[in-house]
Amino acid sequence: MWITAALAGLFAGAGLIIAIGAQNAFVLRQGLQRRHVGMVVLACMGADIALILAGVGGMGALVLQWPLLLQVLRFGGAAFLGWYGLQAGLRAWRGGSALAAASSSGGNRRQVLLACLAFTLLNPHVYLDTVVLLGSLSTRYPGELRWAFAAGACVASVLWFCALGYGARLLQPLFRNPNAWRVLDAGIALFMASLALLLLLRPLSP
């Protein structure tokens, strides 16, 4: 039963985490640049694990009781995504040295960490997916088995962010071409703008 619950958590966590999102796009770009990858991966894993454990521990019901907080996160997240999308659009438009994978562009450690945490914690869907949804799914398992479910979901987070952050270097031969960076940044700009609009136009629902 422990293995069954853990596998269920692994697949449920993977299904939610691997879905393309703003956080994943940010981790991918940092991995391609090889800038502060370990810190970014640890920050993403730590935040995910904390939220998963909070959800399994019963915080999901409390999140649903704070609709105002979710609305603040909704509009704050939309503003942040819009700003980051604009920056990516400007990089794509200008091209040149700002797109070099190993250059000093991309911010210092503090800036990168704050951006990473913003992508994670300002996204209200993160709370709905990890705290509410995974927390609700864990209630199908009695007693301590729900913590096996949580362990599986946490393992999914660890495996995914390690693979995304450190596996991105396999794409570096492609991104030695500055035009590839322009295409990536243009895609990120459109993606961030789309996410921002969705947050503004679509009410949040669990």
Side-chain angles (χ1 to χ4, degrees):
M1 290 296 292
W2 278 79
I3 295 176
T4 301
L7 287 175
L10 177 70
F11 288 117
L16 294 173
I17 296 165
I18 294 176
I20 296 300
Q23 182 190 49
N24 288 340
F26 177 77
V27 175
L28 175 63
R29 197 174 198 282
Q30 291 302 126
L32 286 169
Q33 291 180 309
R34 294 193 181 186
R35 291 188 57 80
H36 314 305
V37 179
M39 179 187 68
V40 168
V41 168
L42 283 174
C44 291
M45 291 190 310
D48 251 24
I49 290 172
L51 291 172
I52 290 169
L53 295 178
V56 173
M59 288 291 292
L62 291 178
V63 170
L64 293 179
Q65 292 176 10
W66 296 337
L68 180 59
L69 174 60
L70 286 178
Q71 292 306 313
V72 171
L73 290 170
R74 174 188 174 193
F75 291 106
F80 175 76
L81 291 174
W83 173 83
Y84 191 86
L86 177 62
Q87 299 301 308
L90 290 175
R91 287 196 303 267
W93 177 263
R94 293 168 181 165
S97 59
L99 300 174
S103 72
S104 60
S105 65
N108 57 36
R109 288 179 63 87
R110 181 174 176 274
Q111 292 171 330
V112 170
L113 178 60
L114 289 176
C116 181
L117 292 176
F119 276 117
T120 303
L121 301 177
L122 287 181
N123 181 2
H125 291 289
V126 168
Y127 298 91
L128 294 176
D129 287 345
T130 56
V131 179
V132 177
L133 184 54
L134 287 178
S136 298
L137 290 174
S138 71
T139 60
R140 299 179 181 179
Y141 299 91
E144 295 183 355
L145 287 179
R146 64 178 179 167
W147 295 108
F149 178 92
C154 291
V155 168
S157 177
V158 170
L159 293 176
W160 171 247
F161 286 117
C162 285
L164 185 62
Y166 291 105
R169 65 187 61 189
L170 298 176
L171 298 175
Q172 280 199 323
L174 172 64
F175 283 89
R176 289 194 181 103
N177 182 348
N179 287 329
W181 282 94
R182 297 187 75 174
V183 171
L184 176 66
D185 278 321
I188 289 176
L190 290 174
F191 183 61
M192 298 297 176
S194 299
L195 288 178
L197 284 175
L198 284 175
L199 282 177
L200 291 174
L201 300 176
R202 185 178 298 172
L204 294 172
S205 59

